[in-house]
Amino acid sequence: MLDRLASPPGLAPIAFGVKAPLRVATLPQGRGDLWSAQVMAVRQGLFSKVFANVLFVESSDTAYVFGIETPDARPRGLPADAADKQQLFIQFLREQTYEDIRALGMLAKVFRGHEYGCEVAATAAYVVARDVSLNLGVGYQTESGAYELVGIHKDDDLVTQARLAVLTDEPQHP
C-alpha cells in the first residue's frame, strides 16, 4: 500500500495543528454547535501559517470547517469580516490540496481522497485537539465541476492517516 503521507516529488507534506478550541455558539434550529480555534499549517521549509478564529461546526456526530459546505466557501449568517476570514482559510485549504494534486501529477488518483486531502487533514487536527471521535465532513469540486459533500467515517483510514500528520506541542524525537 502506498503511504498517503509521503511527500509529492518536490513538495514537502503539509501538517496541521489546532489549539484552543472554544465553543462559541449554538446554531439556529439545532443544526449543531459552532467552535472557534487557532489553526497552524506547516510545509517544512516552505511556510508556517497561523489562522486565528477558524470556525468549525459539530453537528450530528460530524465535524467540518464552517463554510466548506458551499462551493464559494463563504459561510452564511456571519458578519462580513468573519465570513471573509473563514472563506480565505477554506480557499487556502483548497489551494494546498491543488498543490498536492499538481505535484503528484498522474499519481494523484492513486490516493483515495486526494481531491480533499488538506480539508480532511485540517478537520482531523480539529477533532484531535478536541479529543473527540467524530466523523469528518468536507466539500469539494469534482473534475466535472460539480460540488460534492462527503462524509468520512471516524474509523476510515483517511481519518487515521490524517491524524498521524497532526502537529502537536510534544517534542519530536529522531
Side-chain angles (χ1 to χ4, degrees):
M1 181 173 158
L2 293 173
D3 181 2
R4 176 154 170 60
L5 299 177
S7 176
L11 186 64
I14 192 165
F16 293 92
V18 172
K19 286 187 176 185
L22 176 68
R23 188 177 163 281
V24 293
T26 298
L27 295 173
Q29 293 135 3
R31 293 186 343 227
D33 293 318
L34 191 62
W35 289 74
S36 176
Q38 175 182 305
V39 177
M40 176 180 272
V42 175
R43 274 204 200 266
Q44 200 65 35
L46 295 176
F47 64 74
S48 176
K49 296 180 183 253
V50 176
F51 299 88
N53 302 315
V54 173
L55 298 173
F56 293 87
V57 174
E58 290 184 19
S59 177
S60 302
D61 201 30
T62 300
Y64 60 93
V65 178
F66 191 37
I68 201 125
E69 68 278 12
T70 63
D72 68 358
R74 191 162 183 86
R76 309 297 179 247
L78 290 179
D81 60 332
D84 290 346
K85 285 175 54 178
Q86 196 70 13
Q87 186 178 39
L88 286 172
F89 176 69
I90 295 169
Q91 287 171 340
F92 168 80
L93 294 176
R94 291 175 177 169
E95 288 165 5
Q96 293 307 306
T97 293
Y98 173 76
E99 287 300 316
D100 285 344
I101 292 169
R102 186 187 61 71
L104 285 167
M106 293 177 8
L107 289 177
K109 292 183 181 185
V110 171
F111 301 102
R112 188 172 64 83
H114 71 277
E115 310 95 324
Y116 42 81
C118 291
E119 293 88 331
V120 168
T123 309
Y126 164 77
V127 170
V128 167
R130 285 263 300 116
D131 195 22
V132 293
S133 181
L134 297 170
N135 301 315
L136 307 183
V138 296
Y140 74 102
Q141 189 132 12
T142 66
E143 285 183 12
S144 67
Y147 196 75
E148 288 192 17
L149 300 176
V150 177
I152 303 164
H153 192 272
K154 58 190 159 200
D155 296 327
D156 189 293
D157 284 346
L158 287 177
V159 177
T160 303
Q161 291 170 355
R163 285 174 173 264
L164 293 175
V166 171
L167 298 170
T168 64
D169 289 333
E170 308 281 320
Q172 300 297 314
H173 301 287

